[in-house]
Amino acid sequence: MKKTARGVLSCVALTILVLALAGCGGQKKSTLKVYNWGDYIDKSVLESFEKQTGINVIYDEFATNEDMYVKLKAGGSDYDVAIPSDYMIRRMISENMLQPIDFNNIPNYQYIDERFKNLAYDGKNQYSVPYMWGTVGILYNKKMVSEPVDSWRILWDEKYKKQILMLDSQRDAIGITLKMLGYSLNTKNQKELDEAKEMLIKQKPLVLAYVGDEVKDKMIGNEAALSVVWSGDAIFMKKENPDLEYVIPKEGSNLWFDAMVIPKNGKNKKEAEQFINYMCSTEIAYKNADFIGYSTPHSDARKKLPPELTSDRSVYPEKEDVKNSEVFEDLADSLPLYDKIWTEIKSK
Ligand code: N2P
């Protein structure tokens, strides 16, 4: 009786062992950890990558460049691919937080339009592969705002008290205020920054909320009249609610580029490069751009998108549409000035 029980037990143990070995083909499955903005990919792309390569993808999201930076800098994470913006990539390069990419492993890089290569944030093209690009602008509801919208000033108009949504992102909020005041959004001048701070504090009673991805539900649901948004989200919202319109204000704005990088702490460089290359295949780049609404730097994927989208100059602006706009630079030693202002504004 005793013997039989032991026999059954060892038989069960053996079966489990055999199944476990069969399940992973006798070897450990490789993994890839990806860190991206919220709502910034067609998730079916992750599944198809897993299926095609057998690599298991762990996918996490962040809401701002600053959140992403803090998590990576803390050192406890080991993401293999992250997708920050230009100025943050510059900062991460200068702080030795990224691994150089072996472009021999990214043959699909050839499809990235030359306009998006050798940009100042990664001048020698060693660390990043462009993913999406765009602008910051005002998305407004034509039923709630009847006057023409062409200036950031409208976000300070008492008439729209509690109908304004501001981007909960320090570079963006301070940046558009600096542009409204006629200053550079990369200024390090204390007087100009103080002026921007005062304006943002003055604006606070008019602001319904500081938001991230929630802006989409709110604007689509007609809960606010005006919002500061990134261009690709504007496209998505315009599709869902035809009363919405997007403009790049005349004072100029921020022109930005988000790109894929390989953080220093990542342990799977080979898989990371495989993933980046996959994201740059025409089919996948098209799928992502079509799904999220953002502008793709991929020349062939762009050709596959509906012409009414790619000819919309608020999404695919021409040079003259962004002539007053600037790309964010890494603020380096002056960053604490911005951090301090932002804390003061948010705590008022
Ligand atoms: C999408 C975030 C877009 C990033 N939720 C803009 N740089």
Side-chain angles (χ1 to χ4, degrees):
M1 180 80 183
K2 233 179 172 184
K3 208 174 168 193
T4 325
R6 204 183 297 141
V8 169
L9 271 181
S10 56
C11 191
V12 169
L14 189 70
T15 315
I16 291 173
L17 184 72
V18 167
L19 283 177
L21 284 176
C24 31
Q27 48 175 259
K28 218 172 136 264
K29 213 174 164 192
S30 51
T31 50
L32 176 81
K33 290 178 85 173
V34 179
Y35 202 24
N36 190 10
W37 296 82
D39 294 347
Y40 212 35
I41 197 167
D42 177 342
K43 288 204 171 132
S44 74
V45 160
L46 301 174
E47 285 156 31
S48 57
F49 177 76
E50 285 186 323
K51 233 195 216 146
Q52 214 180 82
T53 61
I55 298 169
N56 177 33
V57 178
I58 298 168
Y59 186 79
D60 288 330
E61 297 179 339
F62 57 83
T64 65
N65 279 301
E66 287 67 26
D67 291 353
M68 183 243 30
Y69 172 84
V70 167
K71 187 143 174 204
L72 261 67
K73 192 73 181 176
S77 60
D78 55 356
Y79 290 105
D80 300 301
V81 175
I83 314 191
S85 307
D86 36 55
Y87 70 98
M88 193 50 83
I89 295 174
R90 177 79 246 146
R91 180 176 185 192
M92 293 169 89
I93 294 172
S94 62
E95 294 182 15
N96 200 19
M97 290 170 72
L98 300 180
Q99 306 186 42
I101 296 174
D102 182 348
F103 282 82
N104 291 321
N105 296 332
I106 324 279
N108 291 333
Y109 187 60
Q110 63 175 306
Y111 298 118
I112 303 294
D113 198 309
E114 289 303 314
R115 280 196 290 157
F116 302 99
K117 294 181 178 170
N118 297 307
L119 295 175
Y121 63 88
D122 182 12
K124 292 192 201 134
N125 262 322
Q126 289 173 293
Y127 296 97
S128 62
V129 172
Y131 177 56
M132 297 285 163
W133 64 284
T135 54
V136 180
I138 299 177
L139 182 82
Y140 66 98
N141 189 311
K142 290 181 273 184
K143 290 238 166 81
M144 301 180 190
V145 182
S146 48
E147 65 201 287
V149 179
D150 65 351
S151 162
W152 295 113
R153 297 253 164 215
I154 197 162
L155 302 172
W156 274 261
D157 189 332
E158 295 276 343
K159 213 171 31 211
Y160 300 108
K161 186 165 183 179
K162 293 288 174 221
Q163 294 182 61
I164 297 168
L165 295 168
M166 279 294 280
L167 247 184
D168 193 9
S169 159
Q170 81 174 66
R171 274 313 285 272
D172 293 293
I174 299 171
I176 62 141
T177 311
L178 288 165
K179 291 306 274 184
M180 175 187 67
L181 294 167
Y183 304 137
S184 162
L185 46 68
N186 291 308
T187 188
K188 296 177 175 173
N189 177 305
Q190 184 71 64
K191 221 183 97 263
E192 294 175 1
L193 285 166
D194 281 344
E195 238 181 279
K197 178 182 84 181
E198 290 314 318
M199 286 305 285
L200 283 163
I201 290 173
K202 201 168 132 203
Q203 185 204 32
K204 262 198 111 171
L206 312 184
V207 174
L208 177 63
Y210 281 88
V211 287
D213 281 326
E214 320 88 90
V215 74
K216 296 198 268 289
D217 282 346
K218 292 194 192 305
M219 289 305 287
I220 292 168
N222 301 318
E223 286 176 45
L226 295 145
S227 56
V228 177
V229 299
W230 292 302
S231 48
D233 286 343
I235 303 320
F236 177 83
M237 291 183 265
K238 270 169 63 165
K239 244 197 258 166
E240 300 291 316
N241 181 345
D243 292 332
L244 301 176
E245 195 51 76
Y246 178 75
V247 286
I248 302 171
K250 61 180 181 218
E251 297 96 340
S253 179
N254 168 235
L255 174 65
W256 54 261
F257 308 93
D258 292 342
M260 296 177 274
V261 297
I262 305 183
K264 260 267 148 77
N265 290 342
K267 297 191 186 81
N268 304 294
K269 183 149 192 260
K270 195 175 108 246
E271 288 79 3
E273 287 170 343
Q274 211 175 330
F275 180 75
I276 292 172
N277 191 49
Y278 185 74
M279 293 283 273
C280 292
S281 71
T282 301
E283 188 204 332
I284 299 303
Y286 161 76
K287 243 191 177 167
N288 281 326
D290 186 50
F291 185 82
I292 64 177
Y294 278 82
S295 318
T296 176
H298 191 292
S299 34
D300 282 13
R302 178 176 169 160
K303 285 186 208 131
K304 288 182 76 164
L305 288 162
E308 41 315 344
L309 180 72
T310 49
S311 62
D312 180 343
R313 287 176 54 174
S314 65
V315 204
Y316 284 88
E318 297 289 335
K319 260 208 174 104
E320 59 176 289
D321 303 316
V322 286
K323 64 176 187 299
N324 297 328
S325 297
E326 297 170 273
V327 180
F328 284 133
E329 288 163 11
D330 173 25
L331 297 163
D333 295 347
S334 301
L335 180 59
L337 297 177
Y338 281 70
D339 287 343
K340 192 161 164 272
I341 289 181
W342 189 238
T343 315
E344 278 181 56
I345 296 161
K346 293 301 284 292
S347 63
K348 280 277 167 194

